[in-house]
Amino acid sequence: QSNPSASATMPPPGYQDSSAPVKGGVSTAGAAGSGKTEVNQLYFFLNGEEKIVSAPRLQPQSTLLQFLREEGLTGTKLGCGEGGCGACTITVASYDNDRKKVVHKAINACIAPLCSVDGCHVITVEGIGKIESGLHPVQQRLADAHGSQCGFCTPGFVMSMYSLLRTNATPSKAEVEHSVDGNLCRCTGYRPILDAFKTFCPATGESNEEPAHGGGCCKEIKDGEIPPYAKTAELPFPTQLLPENRPVAPLKLEGDICTWYRPTSLSGLLELKAQFNHAKIVVGNSELEIERKFRGSNWEVLVCTSHVQEMNVISASDGSVDFGATVSLNRLKEVMENEVATKPAHATRTYTAVLQQLRWFAGTPIRNAGSVGGNVANASPISDLNPVLMACGATVTLVKVTGEQRTIPVRDFFKQRLYRQTTMAADELILSFSVPATTELQYSQGYKVSRRRDDDIAIVTAGLHMECAKAGSDYTIANAGFAYGGMAASTVNCPKTQAFLQGKPLSHETLKAALEVLKEDLPLEQGAPGGMIEFRRTLASSFLFKFFIHVMSSVAGSLVADDEKSAGAPYQRPPSKGLQHFKETKNAFLPDAIEGPFHVDGGVGTAVKHAAADIQVTGEAQYTDDIPSPPGTVYAGLVLSTTPHARIKSIDPAPALAVKGVKGYFDHKSVQGSNSLGAVIYDEEVFATDTVVTTGQVLGVVVAETQQLARMAAALVKVEYEALPHVLTIEEAIAANSYIGDECKIENGDVEAAFKTCDHVIEKEVRIGGQEHFYLETQTSLLVPGEKDEMTVYSSTQNPTKTANFVAHVLGVHKNRVVCKMKRAGGGFGGKETRNVFIAMACAVAAKKLNKPVRIFLDRDQDMSITGQRHPFLCKYKVGFNKDGKIVAVNAALFSNGGCSLDLSRPVLERAMFHIENAYLVPNMRVTGRVCRTNLPSNTAFRGFGGPQGIMSCECYMDDIARTLKMNPDEVREINLYPSRGGVTHYKQLLVDCHIREMWANMKESSDYTKRLAEVEAYNAANKWKKRGIALCPVKFGMSFTAKFMNQASALVHVYTDGTILVSHGGTEIGQGLHTKMAQIAASELGVPLEKVHVAETATDKCANTHPTAASVGADLNGFAVQDACQQINKRLERFRMTKPQATFAELAMAAFLDRVDLSAHGYYKTPEVGYDFVAQKGKPFHYFAYGVACSEVEVDVLTGDFTILRSDVLHDVGNSLSPSIDIGQVEGGFIQGVGLFMLEEMVWMKNGNLFTKGPSTYKIPSANDVPIDFRVRLFEDAPNRKTVYSSKGVGEPPLNLATSVFFAAKNAIAAAREQNGEAGAFRMDTPGTCERIRLACGDSIARSFADKDILPAGSW
């Protein structure tokens, strides 16, 4: 298992024993003149076209994704490089010799070796449909169902579904949801994607839709309108690849640093193993690619066992399922599912246990590629599968290079408590496995808890097996097998517990005693790797408890009380469904208008799909890294600090410069302009000069011929440091008095006097965790030098003007010499408002020095480590209230972790202070705020921009009030809501058109809140180990940039003589549909169908001096600017319309042109009457407010902390929607991102200042499995906002905050468990509400045996 040292120059004797067609890459030259044939080329098909790849292009360490993108197939995206996000999903078809048929599998191209596709048909998103040739049904239905927003993840989803259809043309809804378990989307909230794909399911008579109230549903694909799917129209499997035309032959593929062997027989494999004892065995490459990427591992010899026939067989008999080591995890899943479906239930309990683990084992593409043997040999201490194999008595057969075989129990394969060590000898390989069936009184279960159910590594996992014996009317335990992962350095057995149970009666008393013995088997000391000690120990005991209840319920239901039976029930989740309702306003326009707006097809108020939906589903939408490289392009790799605070003693780039293909190293000494930057003040450096203030700070940039080479060379730069003291947390910063800027304050009323009049006063605090943006497209830029100091910057940014200005700043040239262009971004969420700038600046220095185009695309781990996140907050609050629940006074102190520089931390903090009362009238309020300076990367803007932290802090003290008074928290919320008229905020802004009380009442009625609350209470009374909670939460969100000067925008509109329109504006398209809305405004204003309007890329030479697309006001500002430009043109066209009322727009345009009328106009808008003075504490920070209410119902597993959102109803105020289907998508996507913030996503920093959660393997955003099972979204009707364009409201940020309803529904469920366990009353729960926090808060005896009542799981703190 170690790195190889043997040379990879000669094949072993007798390696080649078959021949293959010359087209397959056969050479008769042989090895060392042996005269034997060997295949030394790859032969496969790509989208129906034959491909032959050989050296030097063929390198065994290259991935399939690298090859595809080099081929110009850029629809397949790089999202993470570790098979965790699904953006790179493609379909690989191959002939399965075991099943004698062609199979299609979804595969992660980012980790699949190029060498692995020999003899396969590789199909990418471009191969199934294009705009020119027509969209594939999967593509068409996804586009029509509004399932693509930013579009970066879309090709991966398309190919996952395509792969499923090639296997099963009529999948069930559950199969559809499972097929995308390896795909992540940060924009949509998944509902529209799932809806689109479920149209391929057979009709069941069920419907997700109810009559729309006065409007429509945002689905454009409806029953009866969908053409049937024809599987026969798909790309055929090339006959050239069938075994009768191309027999499988061994491969030897030599690269510059590695040689790839692919034997086709066991004897050939053993001969290779004998010659190259330290060769690395590879099948799916899912682990090796991670080792290569994160640990810098490389191997001289790779041996792929995918075609060894003896290791690919699988068979089932009455006594067992037997399978070779190379059998994929999904193939094993298929066979065991068939066994469970066709055999008696009592005989397949071990198979059920295996399936319980495989269901949540990684994602579908990983299970398609990864093998059982690879998983076992990897010997991970947190393996999902190994504990079940150990516990159920499975065996593994090992084979020596001599051919000698031995079979041992899997439980004896792992060296106990030794990290990744096995009893397999150096000259042995895993050949096969055997999993036994069960008898009538044998029981097996698999258990796993992770941060997220789908595609996540386990925190604790277990396989538990028990055989019972009947003793009269009672039952005893004949024997037991218990194995756990996540509790030691290896998967471990529990010998003491197993021995204790033998012969014991099956009873609660035995269970209670066994739980005590289990503590001896599974000790876990504080400080153990992985942390979460109390939680992990609690889970281990909880699994045993659940298993005992399961067995007792199965053997004799009378052994278990009815209210305890839920503990033993395996997790079940039905397919999700959704409802969306809105009211179109398109008919509000006069059909005979002269100046507009006009009633046109696709105009304002019409539910249209995203303007780029079709090209996004086909993979033809171009993102920054998809732009073809100009001639001479080189690539940048950042040299980053590895310590959080230190003086730089020396930097030696010589090792990097010595690498062939490296073009140069550049740092602060190379800067011709200024080395300083900053979003508000210049408190950062492009390149560190003498001191680093955070891990991941840029020291320099290495430029090389390829991106991989640049990254590798950058890692070779040697840096010596002198360490300095560092501060990482808010608490450390407070203790060290480490702040950025002064304290800011807002005060209204007499707070201290009010406290003296209150019936109750409480003082508490809460921590609000940070959040990673996890835009699917990481930071990327391309800088192209021009003549006379010109520089064109292509960047994935929300802020083209700032990007261009700072590039000019670092180059020392005038701003008019630098142009930034941006077509679209694969997500942003605030993370590309300022933090892309320093990356572009560093590359600009290199581009200027070399006079060559320079491009960079950050790896996911690097992006997450250096670009900052949402600010963690600490809120300390004192609240005074009366016995009726009415708030009297609040004194709150907010502290944010700003990181190492100011960036946007001050305005983020200010917005949190503005939202500290959420939607409630607080007559006396004082709120102060401080930005803490720490040695973390500078935290930055994120959707909500401080609002979520302020709103969550508010909802926490509202919850504390209710629990102190023993009232329903929702009742306390309702009592304190702002009035419909006359409400004034703590910053003295009058609320006009405040809809919150009306919306609250509407939601209570439409969600059946009162009825469901009673049902929840009844459920909780009947179930001890599963609890439910329901919560209503409001939001009031201020809409404007709080910096007055930023509330302006411009646009440029051109009318062409054929009647088409070109719009340029200062906003950026990051998935939110801004370009679509701008096109709809132009269409309505000028009176042309939507298809006549095109929105050009955002460019600073079209609209200069723009502001970032942020604060949810992109449509407000740019929409007014577009409208202004169109109205100018309309005034010029007015006389032509009056004289030719029947003329087409093209005829009007031509007439005006011939009359020398300017058909272009520059529009401009500035928001009136906004701005707030913190010193004087007066002003109007917000132009208007958006309101919303959500009702969520959550079920919590008390024993594991796992939660399921049973239902969420969302009612949101968007005024008169510009584009209802776009706005529905924003509401859903924002809500699910809020679920991530408040429930799932946890940043974990190590004490050395390095980020631990820096990729999809460790950081978990919501997946499709985390959406509400029943998700109902409505746009609030008949509430026009007269202050904005077409009476609309911004929508991007406010809905995120409605996910507080999920957090407090979960907290209500926890409260029910605590009350049952004697811990009623107020309790603290920080965010995110992870399974760890939920489990340890429930207050049961198991949890309390490991954790104190007031434990606060550390999480990222």
Side-chain angles (χ1 to χ4, degrees), residues 245-284:
N245 297 324
R246 186 177 185 268
V248 177
L251 289 180
K252 178 187 177 183
L253 306 170
E254 292 184 274
D256 295 335
I257 62 174
C258 178
T259 299
W260 175 282
Y261 290 96
R262 189 194 69 189
T264 58
S265 65
L266 181 60
S267 60
L269 170 63
L270 297 180
E271 288 167 355
L272 281 169
K273 176 66 175 174
Q275 180 168 355
F276 307 115
N277 190 44
H278 294 290
K280 202 71 171 177
I281 306 299
V282 57
V283 182

Short mmCIF file of all heavy atoms in Angstrom, two decimals, residues 245-284:
data_model
loop_
_atom_site.label_atom_id
_atom_site.label_comp_id
_atom_site.label_asym_id
_atom_site.label_seq_id
_atom_site.Cartn_x
_atom_site.Cartn_y
_atom_site.Cartn_z
N ASN A 245 -15.97 -8.13 -31.98
CA ASN A 245 -15.17 -7.31 -32.90
C ASN A 245 -13.88 -6.83 -32.28
O ASN A 245 -12.93 -6.51 -33.00
CB ASN A 245 -15.99 -6.10 -33.35
CG ASN A 245 -17.21 -6.49 -34.14
OD1 ASN A 245 -17.18 -7.46 -34.89
ND2 ASN A 245 -18.31 -5.76 -33.95
N ARG A 246 -13.85 -6.72 -30.97
CA ARG A 246 -12.64 -6.25 -30.29
C ARG A 246 -12.50 -7.00 -28.97
O ARG A 246 -12.95 -6.55 -27.93
CB ARG A 246 -12.71 -4.75 -30.03
CG ARG A 246 -11.40 -4.19 -29.46
CD ARG A 246 -11.49 -2.68 -29.29
NE ARG A 246 -10.20 -2.14 -28.86
CZ ARG A 246 -9.85 -1.96 -27.57
NH1 ARG A 246 -10.69 -2.27 -26.60
NH2 ARG A 246 -8.66 -1.47 -27.27
N PRO A 247 -11.90 -8.17 -29.01
CA PRO A 247 -11.69 -8.92 -27.76
C PRO A 247 -10.89 -8.08 -26.76
O PRO A 247 -10.00 -7.31 -27.14
CB PRO A 247 -10.90 -10.14 -28.21
CG PRO A 247 -11.18 -10.27 -29.68
CD PRO A 247 -11.36 -8.87 -30.18
N VAL A 248 -11.22 -8.23 -25.51
CA VAL A 248 -10.53 -7.47 -24.47
C VAL A 248 -9.08 -7.93 -24.39
O VAL A 248 -8.79 -9.13 -24.32
CB VAL A 248 -11.22 -7.67 -23.12
CG1 VAL A 248 -10.44 -6.95 -22.02
CG2 VAL A 248 -12.65 -7.15 -23.18
N ALA A 249 -8.19 -6.98 -24.42
CA ALA A 249 -6.76 -7.29 -24.38
C ALA A 249 -6.10 -6.56 -23.22
O ALA A 249 -6.58 -5.51 -22.78
CB ALA A 249 -6.09 -6.87 -25.69
N PRO A 250 -5.02 -7.10 -22.69
CA PRO A 250 -4.29 -6.39 -21.64
C PRO A 250 -3.73 -5.08 -22.19
O PRO A 250 -3.45 -4.94 -23.38
CB PRO A 250 -3.16 -7.36 -21.28
CG PRO A 250 -3.62 -8.69 -21.77
CD PRO A 250 -4.44 -8.43 -22.98
N LEU A 251 -3.58 -4.12 -21.30
CA LEU A 251 -3.03 -2.82 -21.66
C LEU A 251 -1.73 -2.57 -20.93
O LEU A 251 -1.56 -2.97 -19.76
CB LEU A 251 -4.00 -1.69 -21.29
CG LEU A 251 -5.30 -1.51 -22.07
CD1 LEU A 251 -6.06 -0.32 -21.50
CD2 LEU A 251 -5.03 -1.30 -23.54
N LYS A 252 -0.83 -1.89 -21.60
CA LYS A 252 0.33 -1.29 -20.97
C LYS A 252 0.49 0.11 -21.57
O LYS A 252 0.81 0.27 -22.74
CB LYS A 252 1.61 -2.10 -21.21
CG LYS A 252 2.83 -1.44 -20.58
CD LYS A 252 4.12 -2.15 -20.94
CE LYS A 252 5.33 -1.42 -20.36
NZ LYS A 252 6.62 -2.05 -20.77
N LEU A 253 0.21 1.11 -20.74
CA LEU A 253 0.23 2.49 -21.20
C LEU A 253 1.28 3.25 -20.42
O LEU A 253 1.14 3.47 -19.21
CB LEU A 253 -1.16 3.12 -21.01
CG LEU A 253 -2.33 2.34 -21.65
CD1 LEU A 253 -3.66 2.91 -21.21
CD2 LEU A 253 -2.21 2.36 -23.17
N GLU A 254 2.33 3.64 -21.09
CA GLU A 254 3.45 4.29 -20.42
C GLU A 254 3.36 5.80 -20.56
O GLU A 254 3.14 6.32 -21.64
CB GLU A 254 4.78 3.81 -21.02
CG GLU A 254 5.09 2.35 -20.72
CD GLU A 254 6.44 1.95 -21.25
OE1 GLU A 254 6.52 1.56 -22.43
OE2 GLU A 254 7.43 2.05 -20.48
N GLY A 255 3.53 6.48 -19.41
CA GLY A 255 3.58 7.93 -19.40
C GLY A 255 4.92 8.41 -18.92
O GLY A 255 5.86 7.63 -18.72
N ASP A 256 5.01 9.70 -18.70
CA ASP A 256 6.28 10.29 -18.28
C ASP A 256 6.66 9.89 -16.86
O ASP A 256 7.84 9.72 -16.55
CB ASP A 256 6.21 11.81 -18.38
CG ASP A 256 6.04 12.29 -19.82
OD1 ASP A 256 6.43 11.55 -20.73
OD2 ASP A 256 5.50 13.40 -20.00
N ILE A 257 5.65 9.76 -15.99
CA ILE A 257 5.97 9.46 -14.59
C ILE A 257 5.27 8.21 -14.10
O ILE A 257 5.47 7.81 -12.95
CB ILE A 257 5.58 10.64 -13.68
CG1 ILE A 257 4.08 10.91 -13.74
CG2 ILE A 257 6.37 11.89 -14.03
CD1 ILE A 257 3.61 11.96 -12.74
N CYS A 258 4.47 7.57 -14.93
CA CYS A 258 3.68 6.45 -14.45
C CYS A 258 3.36 5.52 -15.60
O CYS A 258 3.26 5.95 -16.76
CB CYS A 258 2.38 6.99 -13.81
SG CYS A 258 1.26 5.73 -13.21
N THR A 259 3.22 4.24 -15.29
CA THR A 259 2.80 3.24 -16.27
C THR A 259 1.53 2.56 -15.78
O THR A 259 1.41 2.20 -14.61
CB THR A 259 3.89 2.18 -16.50
OG1 THR A 259 5.06 2.83 -17.00
CG2 THR A 259 3.43 1.14 -17.50
N TRP A 260 0.58 2.43 -16.68
CA TRP A 260 -0.73 1.84 -16.37
C TRP A 260 -0.80 0.44 -16.98
O TRP A 260 -0.60 0.27 -18.18
CB TRP A 260 -1.83 2.73 -16.96
CG TRP A 260 -3.24 2.23 -16.85
CD1 TRP A 260 -3.83 1.28 -17.62
CD2 TRP A 260 -4.25 2.70 -15.94
NE1 TRP A 260 -5.14 1.12 -17.26
CE2 TRP A 260 -5.42 1.98 -16.24
CE3 TRP A 260 -4.26 3.65 -14.94
CZ2 TRP A 260 -6.62 2.19 -15.53
CZ3 TRP A 260 -5.44 3.87 -14.24
CH2 TRP A 260 -6.60 3.14 -14.53
N TYR A 261 -1.06 -0.56 -16.17
CA TYR A 261 -1.29 -1.92 -16.64
C TYR A 261 -2.74 -2.29 -16.40
O TYR A 261 -3.33 -1.95 -15.37
CB TYR A 261 -0.41 -2.92 -15.89
CG TYR A 261 1.06 -2.83 -16.20
CD1 TYR A 261 1.92 -2.09 -15.39
CD2 TYR A 261 1.60 -3.50 -17.30
CE1 TYR A 261 3.27 -2.01 -15.67
CE2 TYR A 261 2.95 -3.44 -17.58
CZ TYR A 261 3.79 -2.70 -16.77
OH TYR A 261 5.13 -2.62 -17.03
N ARG A 262 -3.32 -3.02 -17.37
CA ARG A 262 -4.66 -3.55 -17.19
C ARG A 262 -4.67 -5.01 -17.62
O ARG A 262 -4.84 -5.33 -18.79
CB ARG A 262 -5.69 -2.77 -18.01
CG ARG A 262 -7.14 -3.16 -17.67
CD ARG A 262 -8.12 -2.65 -18.71
NE ARG A 262 -7.96 -3.35 -20.00
CZ ARG A 262 -8.56 -2.99 -21.12
NH1 ARG A 262 -9.33 -1.91 -21.13
NH2 ARG A 262 -8.39 -3.67 -22.24
N PRO A 263 -4.45 -5.90 -16.68
CA PRO A 263 -4.49 -7.33 -17.01
C PRO A 263 -5.93 -7.79 -17.24
O PRO A 263 -6.88 -7.13 -16.81
CB PRO A 263 -3.88 -7.99 -15.78
CG PRO A 263 -4.20 -7.05 -14.66
CD PRO A 263 -4.14 -5.68 -15.25
N THR A 264 -6.07 -8.92 -17.90
CA THR A 264 -7.41 -9.45 -18.18
C THR A 264 -7.65 -10.81 -17.54
O THR A 264 -8.71 -11.39 -17.73
CB THR A 264 -7.63 -9.57 -19.69
OG1 THR A 264 -6.60 -10.42 -20.24
CG2 THR A 264 -7.58 -8.20 -20.35
N SER A 265 -6.68 -11.28 -16.79
CA SER A 265 -6.84 -12.57 -16.12
C SER A 265 -6.19 -12.50 -14.75
O SER A 265 -5.34 -11.64 -14.49
CB SER A 265 -6.19 -13.70 -16.94
OG SER A 265 -4.79 -13.50 -17.00
N LEU A 266 -6.61 -13.39 -13.88
CA LEU A 266 -6.02 -13.43 -12.55
C LEU A 266 -4.55 -13.77 -12.62
O LEU A 266 -3.73 -13.17 -11.89
CB LEU A 266 -6.77 -14.45 -11.68
CG LEU A 266 -6.28 -14.58 -10.24
CD1 LEU A 266 -6.40 -13.27 -9.49
CD2 LEU A 266 -7.04 -15.69 -9.50
N SER A 267 -4.18 -14.67 -13.52
CA SER A 267 -2.77 -15.03 -13.62
C SER A 267 -1.94 -13.84 -14.07
O SER A 267 -0.84 -13.59 -13.56
CB SER A 267 -2.59 -16.20 -14.60
OG SER A 267 -3.07 -15.84 -15.89
N GLY A 268 -2.48 -13.07 -15.03
CA GLY A 268 -1.76 -11.88 -15.46
C GLY A 268 -1.62 -10.87 -14.34
O GLY A 268 -0.58 -10.22 -14.19
N LEU A 269 -2.65 -10.72 -13.54
CA LEU A 269 -2.60 -9.80 -12.41
C LEU A 269 -1.55 -10.24 -11.40
O LEU A 269 -0.76 -9.42 -10.91
CB LEU A 269 -3.98 -9.72 -11.74
CG LEU A 269 -4.04 -8.99 -10.40
CD1 LEU A 269 -3.66 -7.52 -10.56
CD2 LEU A 269 -5.42 -9.12 -9.78
N LEU A 270 -1.53 -11.51 -11.08
CA LEU A 270 -0.59 -12.00 -10.08
C LEU A 270 0.85 -11.88 -10.58
O LEU A 270 1.77 -11.62 -9.79
CB LEU A 270 -0.92 -13.45 -9.72
CG LEU A 270 -2.29 -13.66 -9.07
CD1 LEU A 270 -2.51 -15.15 -8.76
CD2 LEU A 270 -2.41 -12.83 -7.80
N GLU A 271 1.05 -12.05 -11.87
CA GLU A 271 2.39 -11.87 -12.42
C GLU A 271 2.85 -10.41 -12.29
O GLU A 271 4.00 -10.14 -11.96
CB GLU A 271 2.41 -12.32 -13.88
CG GLU A 271 2.31 -13.84 -14.04
CD GLU A 271 2.02 -14.27 -15.46
OE1 GLU A 271 1.81 -13.38 -16.31
OE2 GLU A 271 2.00 -15.48 -15.73
N LEU A 272 1.93 -9.50 -12.54
CA LEU A 272 2.26 -8.09 -12.36
C LEU A 272 2.57 -7.79 -10.90
O LEU A 272 3.51 -7.05 -10.58
CB LEU A 272 1.09 -7.22 -12.82
CG LEU A 272 0.95 -7.00 -14.33
CD1 LEU A 272 -0.39 -6.36 -14.64
CD2 LEU A 272 2.09 -6.12 -14.85
N LYS A 273 1.76 -8.34 -10.01
CA LYS A 273 1.97 -8.11 -8.58
C LYS A 273 3.32 -8.66 -8.15
O LYS A 273 4.02 -8.07 -7.31
CB LYS A 273 0.84 -8.77 -7.78
CG LYS A 273 0.97 -8.69 -6.27
CD LYS A 273 0.84 -7.27 -5.75
CE LYS A 273 0.86 -7.25 -4.24
NZ LYS A 273 0.89 -5.87 -3.69
N ALA A 274 3.70 -9.79 -8.71
CA ALA A 274 4.99 -10.38 -8.36
C ALA A 274 6.14 -9.49 -8.83
O ALA A 274 7.15 -9.36 -8.14
CB ALA A 274 5.11 -11.77 -8.99
N GLN A 275 6.02 -8.89 -10.00
CA GLN A 275 7.09 -8.06 -10.51
C GLN A 275 7.11 -6.67 -9.86
O GLN A 275 8.17 -6.14 -9.55
CB GLN A 275 6.96 -7.90 -12.02
CG GLN A 275 8.08 -7.03 -12.61
CD GLN A 275 8.14 -7.10 -14.13
OE1 GLN A 275 7.39 -7.85 -14.72
NE2 GLN A 275 9.02 -6.33 -14.72
N PHE A 276 5.93 -6.11 -9.64
CA PHE A 276 5.82 -4.77 -9.06
C PHE A 276 5.07 -4.87 -7.74
O PHE A 276 3.88 -4.56 -7.66
CB PHE A 276 5.08 -3.82 -10.01
CG PHE A 276 5.65 -3.78 -11.41
CD1 PHE A 276 4.92 -4.23 -12.48
CD2 PHE A 276 6.94 -3.29 -11.62
CE1 PHE A 276 5.44 -4.18 -13.76
CE2 PHE A 276 7.47 -3.24 -12.90
CZ PHE A 276 6.73 -3.69 -13.98
N ASN A 277 5.77 -5.30 -6.72
CA ASN A 277 5.11 -5.59 -5.45
C ASN A 277 4.47 -4.36 -4.82
O ASN A 277 3.49 -4.46 -4.10
CB ASN A 277 6.11 -6.20 -4.46
CG ASN A 277 5.43 -6.74 -3.23
OD1 ASN A 277 4.40 -7.40 -3.34
ND2 ASN A 277 5.98 -6.47 -2.06
N HIS A 278 5.04 -3.18 -5.11
CA HIS A 278 4.50 -1.95 -4.52
C HIS A 278 3.59 -1.20 -5.49
O HIS A 278 3.27 -0.03 -5.26
CB HIS A 278 5.64 -1.04 -4.07
CG HIS A 278 6.44 -1.61 -2.95
ND1 HIS A 278 5.94 -1.74 -1.68
CD2 HIS A 278 7.69 -2.13 -2.93
CE1 HIS A 278 6.86 -2.28 -0.89
NE2 HIS A 278 7.93 -2.54 -1.63
N ALA A 279 3.18 -1.86 -6.56
CA ALA A 279 2.26 -1.22 -7.49
C ALA A 279 0.95 -0.89 -6.79
O ALA A 279 0.52 -1.59 -5.87
CB ALA A 279 1.99 -2.13 -8.68
N LYS A 280 0.32 0.17 -7.22
CA LYS A 280 -0.96 0.57 -6.65
C LYS A 280 -2.08 -0.05 -7.47
O LYS A 280 -2.10 0.07 -8.70
CB LYS A 280 -1.10 2.10 -6.66
CG LYS A 280 -2.10 2.63 -5.66
CD LYS A 280 -1.61 2.48 -4.24
CE LYS A 280 -2.53 3.21 -3.26
NZ LYS A 280 -2.11 3.02 -1.87
N ILE A 281 -2.98 -0.74 -6.79
CA ILE A 281 -4.13 -1.35 -7.45
C ILE A 281 -5.23 -0.30 -7.57
O ILE A 281 -5.54 0.40 -6.61
CB ILE A 281 -4.65 -2.58 -6.67
CG1 ILE A 281 -3.51 -3.58 -6.43
CG2 ILE A 281 -5.81 -3.22 -7.41
CD1 ILE A 281 -2.90 -4.13 -7.70
N VAL A 282 -5.81 -0.21 -8.77
CA VAL A 282 -6.82 0.82 -9.00
C VAL A 282 -8.03 0.20 -9.71
O VAL A 282 -7.87 -0.65 -10.58
CB VAL A 282 -6.25 2.00 -9.82
CG1 VAL A 282 -5.70 1.53 -11.14
CG2 VAL A 282 -7.29 3.07 -10.02
N VAL A 283 -9.21 0.63 -9.29
CA VAL A 283 -10.45 0.25 -9.98
C VAL A 283 -11.22 1.53 -10.31
O VAL A 283 -11.23 2.00 -11.43
CB VAL A 283 -11.31 -0.72 -9.16
CG1 VAL A 283 -12.56 -1.12 -9.96
CG2 VAL A 283 -10.51 -1.96 -8.79
N GLY A 284 -11.83 2.12 -9.28
CA GLY A 284 -12.62 3.33 -9.52
C GLY A 284 -11.83 4.61 -9.37
O GLY A 284 -12.29 5.68 -9.75
#
